Amino acid sequence: MNFVKTLEEQLRDLSISSRRKNSSTHPAIKEAAERAILSLRSLQNSYVVAVRQASRSSGSIQHPTTALFKSQDVLRPFLMAMNHRDCGNNIVNLTLDGMQQLLRGDAVCCDDGINIVRVLNIQASVCATAVEKSGSHSSVMGIGGMNSGMVSAGVGAVSSFGNSLLSGFGILGSGISNNINDQEHQQGQHGSTRRHSTTAVTPQAHSSNRSLKEDEAISIRILQTLVMIVSSESLNLTEELFSSCISICLLFGFLHNEECVNLGMGLKGSSGIGKKKDTHD
């Protein structure tokens, strides 16, 4: 099936690219990729059996989906490849391709969302540092600098991310706006502005060999991946996962601090966070 074929190609490409770019980590990534391919083929056999059983059942057994391919072995090489600040552009994009393929297929284990966000945070920090050093907030900050199509994609990703967070967690945009105004009014009365900490990775020296344009494009893809994670029906959307997603957005400057804090204040009271997803695996 195309899902398995695409993943196998992505895993092979990742193994080859890591060998070219980083000889020290290549053996581990190569071994993980080979194990992932074996797991995929085993799961494909199970999928074929499930399809046959569903076909013979005259509708009493539900037809299997790609959710059957959930496996930490399959995700692991993608996590390993992007777990370094000096990842090249090709490796990061191959990794994002694989992660997004798994997320689209609902093939990520319910508790692995935080592991994906962790490595996204590493690369987001690198990208944010590059943009900050350049003094150009171009497409990442919603201003010109790349082609208009890419800028539109970035704006669309941010908009979708915000909508997904607010609707998915039952936090109303109007309520956020009102609370922010109340907070600003109270801060004005006291003549000071409160500072809030986040769990984001602190930007450090830019250590990848990527260009600014490549980092801007990767930033947009990171946001798109966050949207897929937050919108997932099968991942456990814990407080840790939610706050980590917000932290990455803060690195790119998309959310006002007070807004992020206000979202965070609604975490425990939100019915969508901290609950386990219903699974039928």
Side-chain angles (χ1 to χ4, degrees):
M1 58 187 298
N2 289 337
F3 179 81
V4 174
K5 181 181 178 182
T6 299
L7 272 175
E8 281 197 22
E9 291 174 352
Q10 290 166 339
L11 287 164
R12 289 196 183 94
D13 290 343
L14 181 63
S15 178
I16 293 171
S17 293
S18 64
R19 178 180 61 194
R20 294 171 181 166
K21 297 294 182 181
N22 197 330
S23 58
S24 63
T25 59
H26 169 66
I29 295 174
K30 180 176 182 293
E31 181 181 349
E34 290 174 348
R35 186 162 55 247
I37 290 173
L38 290 176
S39 294
L40 272 177
R41 291 176 178 173
S42 176
L43 291 169
Q44 186 176 27
N45 291 335
S46 299
Y47 180 87
V48 171
V49 171
V51 169
R52 290 173 179 169
Q53 290 176 341
S55 300
R56 297 184 190 130
S57 68
S58 302
S60 60
I61 299 178
Q62 189 175 5
H63 193 284
T65 68
T66 52
L68 187 147
F69 290 87
K70 291 178 182 178
S71 168
Q72 291 183 330
D73 282 343
V74 176
L75 177 63
R76 186 172 293 111
F78 297 116
L79 296 176
M80 293 173 62
M82 208 161 69
N83 194 37
H84 306 277
R85 293 183 59 83
D86 60 349
C87 288
N89 180 63
N90 190 42
I91 288 179
V92 172
N93 278 289
L94 282 171
T95 300
L96 289 170
D97 286 342
M99 289 178 174
Q100 290 184 358
Q101 174 78 354
L102 290 170
L103 287 166
R104 276 192 297 269
D106 194 26
V108 176
C109 295
C110 62
D111 291 323
D112 276 339
I114 191 62
N115 293 323
I116 295 176
V117 173
R118 178 180 56 79
V119 295
L120 293 180
N121 208 346
I122 293 172
Q123 299 308 317
S125 177
V126 175
C127 293
T129 301
V131 174
E132 181 181 3
K133 278 193 169 186
S134 73
S136 167
H137 293 276
S138 59
S139 66
V140 180
M141 298 306 173
I143 307 173
M146 297 180 67
N147 64 72
S148 59
M150 189 62 77
V151 173
S152 297
V155 174
V158 177
S159 176
S160 297
F161 179 80
N163 289 336
S164 295
L165 290 178
L166 298 178
S167 62
F169 299 130
I171 304 173
L172 299 179
S174 58
I176 290 175
S177 178
N178 291 336
N179 287 336
I180 290 173
N181 291 334
D182 292 340
Q183 289 176 0
E184 291 176 346
H185 177 67
Q186 292 172 3
Q187 290 168 2
Q189 288 180 329
H190 289 84
S192 63
T193 300
R194 290 174 293 178
R195 303 180 69 87
H196 304 279
S197 63
T198 69
T199 57
V201 172
T202 303
Q204 302 172 10
H206 187 252
S207 55
S208 75
N209 294 316
R210 305 191 296 255
S211 69
L212 175 61
K213 186 173 182 178
E214 288 171 340
D215 277 325
E216 290 176 327
I218 287 171
S219 299
I220 292 171
R221 294 204 66 193
I222 288 173
L223 286 168
Q224 292 168 340
T225 307
L226 289 181
V227 174
M228 297 175 73
I229 290 171
V230 172
S231 303
S232 173
E233 293 295 330
S234 62
L235 294 178
N236 290 330
L237 301 179
T238 62
E239 293 184 20
E240 181 185 9
L241 178 56
F242 180 86
S243 60
S244 295
C245 290
I246 292 294
S247 295
I248 293 176
C249 289
L250 282 173
L251 278 177
F252 295 135
F254 281 123
L255 292 177
H256 193 270
N257 279 346
E258 285 85 352
E259 182 175 359
C260 180
V261 171
N262 206 38
L263 285 171
M265 289 170 61
L267 286 177
K268 290 186 178 180
S270 175
S271 59
I273 302 173
K275 286 190 174 182
K276 295 288 185 180
K277 295 289 185 179
D278 293 331
T279 57
H280 304 281
D281 298 338

